[in-house]
Amino acid sequence: MSNIRDDLEIRRVTTDDLEQFNDLLAYVFQVTAKEVEESGYEDGELERAKRPVLEKSDVIGWFHGDELISQLAIYPCRVNIHGTVFDMAGLTGVGTYPEYAGNGLMHDLVKLGLDHMREHHQWISYLYPYSIPFYRKKGWEIMSDHLTFDVKDTQLPKAIEVPGHVERLDSDDADVIEIYDRFAVHTHGAMIRNQLNWDEYWRWENEEERTAGVYYDANDVPQGFVLYWIADEVFHVKEMVYITQEARLGLWNFIAAHFSMVEHVKGNIYKNEPLHFLLEDGDIYQTIHPYYMARIVDVAEFLKRYPFAEPGEPVHFIVSDPLAEWNNGIFGLYWNPDGSPHVTRRPVGEAVELDIQTLTTMLMSYRRPSYLATIERLTASKKALKILENVIPMDEPYFSDYF
């Protein structure tokens, strides 16, 4: 019996394959024509809208003759990691037709994808997981949360006097973009958005139905925004971004001013920062779900550029990686006199044994070293844990994009 793989080949997916690219995505993720229409797209418009993504991304796929049967896309992005901007490989568009599943096709594509990321100096990768166990086996780990909240009208905060004011603007107003840019360069985990990233941010929503409430301080400097829409007596918050606490208060004053119009305020928070603690009546309904996953593509290169909180005593990681063989083994870490990290393949200082998933979530500060040791995700001495706790920054990641 012949191996089905003998009839297949891997090659680049181009814009000539755009229709097949979209058809495979729609089948795997069950995107219906009704959902496309509700998102504000007219016939053929979504396919045209996805063309720039395909043109900017590196897409590889398995073909059976001329038929595209399995694919993944590497979407070039930039993210802030503890104040340092990294080129990030966004893994998206992943899918295989079910009749070809079980033949290791995606395993091979992911390995090729990691090679590609490394060649392009994308030392870290993000993805939205449709199956957390699947991607954990490939080396990705959870790095951010998505919180939702439901505040009843009677629980809205009382107005607090602030010196600024809020204006209602279009969701793509230049001040909205400018606020987010300032926010992103100071926020760990966040996407540094270009226009294509903004287009993807709105991909599955009807942007025309969204409004921005922008807070301006006493000097008319924009300091925060809330992207929202109102429907069926609910004030829906897509995202709230603020540079100052004054802006946060001003935006909640604006939301609370809709008291007579709405019965609930429902929305999203993209960081493990529960809203209830900030409200006088904190007895609100909240949910928390894992959101994005991350993976270090090249341990040595990532460590060289990682912005440690402070120099520490030498330590070495003993890393295991299921797909990227260059990440297996010892990575010694010590600091130069100028405070910059130096990476060697020799064991120096205390030992920390862990897999690539655990190293990623730890350096992204989604989970702290001591906690990971407690749940036996890493093996290290108390001294090693103390070193790691001191050198790894505390800021938890924030990520609100989707691709």
mmCIF file of all heavy atoms in Angstrom, residues 22-31 96-99:
data_model
loop_
_atom_site.group_PDB
_atom_site.id
_atom_site.type_symbol
_atom_site.label_atom_id
_atom_site.label_comp_id
_atom_site.label_asym_id
_atom_site.label_seq_id
_atom_site.Cartn_x
_atom_site.Cartn_y
_atom_site.Cartn_z
ATOM 1 N N ASN A 22 -8.387 30.631 1.654
ATOM 2 C CA ASN A 22 -9.584 31.023 2.393
ATOM 3 C C ASN A 22 -10.552 29.863 2.562
ATOM 4 O O ASN A 22 -11.189 29.709 3.611
ATOM 5 C CB ASN A 22 -10.276 32.186 1.676
ATOM 6 C CG ASN A 22 -9.545 33.502 1.865
ATOM 7 O OD1 ASN A 22 -8.864 33.696 2.867
ATOM 8 N ND2 ASN A 22 -9.667 34.393 0.898
ATOM 9 N N ASP A 23 -10.700 29.023 1.529
ATOM 10 C CA ASP A 23 -11.606 27.879 1.623
ATOM 11 C C ASP A 23 -11.171 26.919 2.722
ATOM 12 O O ASP A 23 -12.018 26.393 3.476
ATOM 13 C CB ASP A 23 -11.666 27.132 0.282
ATOM 14 C CG ASP A 23 -12.436 27.902 -0.784
ATOM 15 O OD1 ASP A 23 -13.141 28.872 -0.423
ATOM 16 O OD2 ASP A 23 -12.339 27.530 -1.969
ATOM 17 N N LEU A 24 -9.862 26.682 2.827
ATOM 18 C CA LEU A 24 -9.365 25.775 3.858
ATOM 19 C C LEU A 24 -9.595 26.364 5.247
ATOM 20 O O LEU A 24 -10.035 25.666 6.167
ATOM 21 C CB LEU A 24 -7.870 25.491 3.635
ATOM 22 C CG LEU A 24 -7.161 24.571 4.634
ATOM 23 C CD1 LEU A 24 -7.919 23.278 4.859
ATOM 24 C CD2 LEU A 24 -5.743 24.269 4.155
ATOM 25 N N LEU A 25 -9.340 27.659 5.387
ATOM 26 C CA LEU A 25 -9.595 28.314 6.671
ATOM 27 C C LEU A 25 -11.073 28.233 7.050
ATOM 28 O O LEU A 25 -11.419 27.908 8.183
ATOM 29 C CB LEU A 25 -9.180 29.784 6.610
ATOM 30 C CG LEU A 25 -7.699 30.116 6.687
ATOM 31 C CD1 LEU A 25 -7.509 31.629 6.678
ATOM 32 C CD2 LEU A 25 -7.063 29.527 7.918
ATOM 33 N N ALA A 26 -11.935 28.540 6.092
ATOM 34 C CA ALA A 26 -13.368 28.543 6.358
ATOM 35 C C ALA A 26 -13.853 27.154 6.749
ATOM 36 O O ALA A 26 -14.713 27.001 7.626
ATOM 37 C CB ALA A 26 -14.129 29.051 5.137
ATOM 38 N N TYR A 27 -13.297 26.114 6.103
ATOM 39 C CA TYR A 27 -13.725 24.749 6.412
ATOM 40 C C TYR A 27 -13.244 24.334 7.798
ATOM 41 O O TYR A 27 -14.022 23.830 8.616
ATOM 42 C CB TYR A 27 -13.185 23.770 5.378
ATOM 43 C CG TYR A 27 -13.732 22.359 5.566
ATOM 44 C CD1 TYR A 27 -14.907 21.975 4.915
ATOM 45 C CD2 TYR A 27 -13.104 21.451 6.397
ATOM 46 C CE1 TYR A 27 -15.429 20.704 5.094
ATOM 47 C CE2 TYR A 27 -13.615 20.182 6.588
ATOM 48 C CZ TYR A 27 -14.780 19.804 5.928
ATOM 49 O OH TYR A 27 -15.295 18.551 6.133
ATOM 50 N N VAL A 28 -11.976 24.556 8.066
ATOM 51 C CA VAL A 28 -11.404 24.097 9.332
ATOM 52 C C VAL A 28 -12.022 24.825 10.516
ATOM 53 O O VAL A 28 -12.323 24.217 11.544
ATOM 54 C CB VAL A 28 -9.873 24.289 9.320
ATOM 55 C CG1 VAL A 28 -9.275 24.024 10.701
ATOM 56 C CG2 VAL A 28 -9.238 23.360 8.292
ATOM 57 N N PHE A 29 -12.236 26.144 10.375
ATOM 58 C CA PHE A 29 -12.748 26.919 11.491
ATOM 59 C C PHE A 29 -14.247 27.178 11.393
ATOM 60 O O PHE A 29 -14.796 27.917 12.208
ATOM 61 C CB PHE A 29 -11.973 28.233 11.603
ATOM 62 C CG PHE A 29 -10.504 28.007 11.833
ATOM 63 C CD1 PHE A 29 -9.565 28.431 10.906
ATOM 64 C CD2 PHE A 29 -10.059 27.337 12.960
ATOM 65 C CE1 PHE A 29 -8.214 28.206 11.114
ATOM 66 C CE2 PHE A 29 -8.717 27.106 13.174
ATOM 67 C CZ PHE A 29 -7.792 27.543 12.250
ATOM 68 N N GLN A 30 -14.882 26.578 10.388
ATOM 69 C CA GLN A 30 -16.335 26.639 10.248
ATOM 70 C C GLN A 30 -16.855 28.081 10.269
ATOM 71 O O GLN A 30 -17.788 28.427 11.005
ATOM 72 C CB GLN A 30 -17.008 25.814 11.347
ATOM 73 C CG GLN A 30 -16.780 24.310 11.201
ATOM 74 C CD GLN A 30 -17.367 23.767 9.888
ATOM 75 O OE1 GLN A 30 -18.580 23.730 9.704
ATOM 76 N NE2 GLN A 30 -16.496 23.360 8.986
ATOM 77 N N VAL A 31 -16.229 28.919 9.456
ATOM 78 C CA VAL A 31 -16.711 30.284 9.276
ATOM 79 C C VAL A 31 -17.800 30.258 8.218
ATOM 80 O O VAL A 31 -17.551 29.909 7.068
ATOM 81 C CB VAL A 31 -15.573 31.226 8.839
ATOM 82 C CG1 VAL A 31 -16.100 32.640 8.643
ATOM 83 C CG2 VAL A 31 -14.456 31.211 9.875
ATOM 84 N N THR A 96 -5.700 21.631 8.300
ATOM 85 C CA THR A 96 -5.557 20.492 7.393
ATOM 86 C C THR A 96 -6.946 19.903 7.152
ATOM 87 O O THR A 96 -7.730 19.767 8.089
ATOM 88 C CB THR A 96 -4.661 19.393 8.011
ATOM 89 O OG1 THR A 96 -3.382 19.951 8.330
ATOM 90 C CG2 THR A 96 -4.478 18.223 7.063
ATOM 91 N N TYR A 97 -7.251 19.581 5.920
ATOM 92 C CA TYR A 97 -8.527 18.910 5.657
ATOM 93 C C TYR A 97 -8.540 17.562 6.378
ATOM 94 O O TYR A 97 -7.515 16.852 6.413
ATOM 95 C CB TYR A 97 -8.730 18.714 4.159
ATOM 96 C CG TYR A 97 -9.193 19.961 3.444
ATOM 97 C CD1 TYR A 97 -8.433 20.539 2.427
ATOM 98 C CD2 TYR A 97 -10.396 20.574 3.782
ATOM 99 C CE1 TYR A 97 -8.857 21.689 1.765
ATOM 100 C CE2 TYR A 97 -10.823 21.726 3.130
ATOM 101 C CZ TYR A 97 -10.055 22.276 2.136
ATOM 102 O OH TYR A 97 -10.480 23.418 1.509
ATOM 103 N N PRO A 98 -9.682 17.198 6.981
ATOM 104 C CA PRO A 98 -9.727 16.019 7.855
ATOM 105 C C PRO A 98 -9.336 14.713 7.175
ATOM 106 O O PRO A 98 -8.794 13.805 7.820
ATOM 107 C CB PRO A 98 -11.180 15.989 8.352
ATOM 108 C CG PRO A 98 -11.941 16.870 7.408
ATOM 109 C CD PRO A 98 -10.985 17.890 6.928
ATOM 110 N N GLU A 99 -9.585 14.583 5.871
ATOM 111 C CA GLU A 99 -9.248 13.328 5.203
ATOM 112 C C GLU A 99 -7.735 13.131 5.089
ATOM 113 O O GLU A 99 -7.267 12.015 4.789
ATOM 114 C CB GLU A 99 -9.895 13.252 3.818
ATOM 115 C CG GLU A 99 -9.494 14.330 2.834
ATOM 116 C CD GLU A 99 -10.421 15.536 2.863
ATOM 117 O OE1 GLU A 99 -10.956 15.854 3.957
ATOM 118 O OE2 GLU A 99 -10.601 16.164 1.813
#
